[in-house]
Amino acid sequence: MTLTARPETAGGGFTVEGANFPTNRGGLCEKGLSSAELLAHPDRLTTPLVRDARNEPFREATWDEALDRVVTGFTVAQERFGADAAGLFGGGGLTNEKAYQAGKFVRVALRSASVDYNGRFCMSSAAAASNKAFGIDRGMPFPLADIARADTVMLVGSNPADTMPPAMRWFAAGRERGAQHLVVDPRYTATAAASDVHLQPVPGTDLALANGLLHLAIKHRLVDTTYVADRTTGWDAVRRAARQYWPDRVERITGVPVRVMERAVRMLAESRATMILSARGAEQHAKGSDTALAWINLALALGLPGRPYSGWATVTGQGNGQGGREHGQKADQLPGYRMLADPEARAHVAGVWGIDPDELPKPGASAYEMLDRLGTDGGVRALLIMASNVAVSAPRADHVRERLAETDFLAVSDLFLSETAELADVVLPCAQWAEEEGTMTNLEGRVLRRRRAARAPDGVRSDLSVLADLAARLGRGQFFSDDPETVFDELRRASSGGKADYAGISYARIEAERGVFWPCPDEAHAGTPRLFRERFATPDGRARFHVVHHRAAAEEPDAEYPYRLTTGRSRAHYQSGTQTRRTKALLDAEPEPVVDIHPDLAARLGIADGADVVLRSRRGTARLRARFASTIRPDTVFAPFHWSGDQTVNALTNPALDPASRMPEFKICAVSVEAAPAHHPAGEDASP
Ligand SMILES: Nc1nc2c(c(=O)[nH]1)N[C@H]1C(S)=C(S)[C@@H](COP(=O)(O)OP(=O)(O)OC[C@H]3O[C@@H](n4cnc5c(=O)[nH]c(N)nc54)[C@H](O)[C@@H]3O)O[C@H]1N2
Ligand SMILES: Nc1nc2c(c(=O)[nH]1)N[C@H]1C(S)=C(S)[C@@H](COP(=O)(O)OP(=O)(O)OC[C@H]3O[C@@H](n4cnc5c(=O)[nH]c(N)nc54)[C@H](O)[C@@H]3O)O[C@H]1N2
Ligand SMILES: [Mo]
């Protein structure tokens, strides 16, 4: 996007316009268009805040005092409880430079294993599946614009009409050419409404559905046997396992009629170019990585990955959701998508960092596991949270807030006093996207420069310089820089030879070429817009099939909690809402969260349209307004997670984790639904 100075508008004289860029062709969604308002929002933090006890109010402090307190918090915890007692929780919204610096800061300055980030809640299941099947995790192995050239596109648990409006032009362009689209979603979403076929499964049954489609593909001889023989391994076991997924059984599990599955498999198999696109609906489950593998199995059996305008891809969420997962802010990972447990990877990165490989810690706990153990024996005691609002966005949020309160020391870096920052001992006011230099890697794997377009308010600092300054105060300043380009050049060396190889990508090249696709191993290399044309990133160059089986959700409905709750996004709001709940136009569009309930279910429960309802799960309650939606399955209710207080939907969600990716089961838990008792002013007796 471009920022243009226009004095008459809100937002400190800036308006945001979509730049005419190949990915979005000048398109922006309303959140992007209104984002300038946040640059000069009266709630922006412009001075560090500290307090001596959690029950005291914050007072303003100098940066010196605030950073000294963070260092003392870390040091005291480490002296008492060991190196891993100090940690950092990062974010997929951070630039590549900051994500890289965050991981390095924990390993080199704190010498701790305790670092992970909110991308664990976002991309980890798809990432685990891609790595297993293709040997690499780049969300889209082809440019976004290729969507317009595909003849059949199936979207599994993805609602781009609300979550990626600028990308919809590529879907629309495809449909104008005659492409057919299928949507798999328990709700009839805006995306489903624009498609040809809607499959409406019970939440948490996508794995069985994919295996059922594979069964039908085998039965109707639609498998691309030449491709399977030439480009894959593991097919025989998967073919045998698919026998168990005969159509009637799959209809019983998923609720998708056999005739709809029959139609879907023909559409996928009998088109010249077919894409299967996955997103959080299929992935945020305790079996999310196996579910992604099931869809990859289907794509491989049909011979899609590596074919023109074909393949399997996952639609990455956050601003830097792709780059954020490549540079080492993940508990088990080093820059360049190297693995921390791999001796060669440790030697390479330690060499670039100028330390002994033995100084590098072992892999640490994943995001939810870190939060769950805060303040306990063996857990993190002093934590810095950078770019995530976990008090709202983490599963089982009431428990997470309790754990945050149990830390010995908590620091939060944010633009606003988020619900998480409210719990801290020290709050660091940071610069935001338009106010600093850095790179981001978009959902296609294209590395882009984000230029500084506005002056940061006086008093705020960039996360990059905060981390460098903290390292200096910890006596490790010689290893860190606060200059984005210097950090990026070091990142290039650290990533060199790794899977996400940025070695050939410089600031100058990104500028001149309007972005460069990784892998790009040297300056002479053109970058890689399309992966898998000749080989996959596995040692033998072949993609791998994996046998995966359906199982129940970690929590299925029962007598006490009879309905399924699934959660996700609404169009006008972003994530934990810290930013969009402060934007007038967006708040006007959607002032409060609603829970979508089928009118038949509402009638049975005596709930009126627009009435307040209380949702209850084994972990907590939330109070939301009912919205009748005949577009949702009657056994399922849906709520967005963008609000806080007694509207915190994550008070309900289940932190059951996927064994491979450590992704929590955001997309399904069992709840009860009842009409809310009327609100009574405080102090008044509510009894009749
Ligand atoms: N407006 C808006 N846009 C956003 C964001 C935002 O907060 N607001 N966040 C960004 C981020 S970080 C992300 S990760 C992306 C996410 O983008 P999406 O994945 O498109 O968004 P979600 O709403 O989380 O989930 C998509 C769909 O999954 C469906 N679903 C729920 N359970 C299941 C299931 O078991 N199976 C299937 N097949 N579908 C299911 C939901 O009904 C929902 O329509 O959006 C990005 N864009
Ligand atoms: N129930 C349920 N819960 C979910 C999901 C779901 O579908 N259902 N989706 C999950 C997903 S996919 C995601 S990505 C997470 C997102 O949830 P969060 O991790 O909470 O993400 P944000 O709300 O984007 O929080 C980012 C915070 O960082 C601040 N910030 C923005 N830019 C910067 C910066 O440059 N530096 C610093 N220091 N701060 C910055 C913002 O003001 C905001 O307070 O939520 C997850 N939670
Ligand atoms: Mo996300």
Side-chain angles (χ1 to χ4, degrees), residues 242-261:
R243 287 188 194 139
Q244 300 171 36
Y245 294 84
W246 61 92
D248 289 338
R249 176 178 177 228
V250 174
E251 174 171 332
R252 276 198 303 281
I253 298 171
T254 63
V256 177
V258 173
R259 68 182 158 71
V260 178
M261 288 189 264

Side-chain angles (χ1 to χ4, degrees), residues 122 280 317-318 569 575:
C122 182
R280 303 312 80 72
Q318 296 158 285
R569 290 148 173 90
Q575 313 282 62

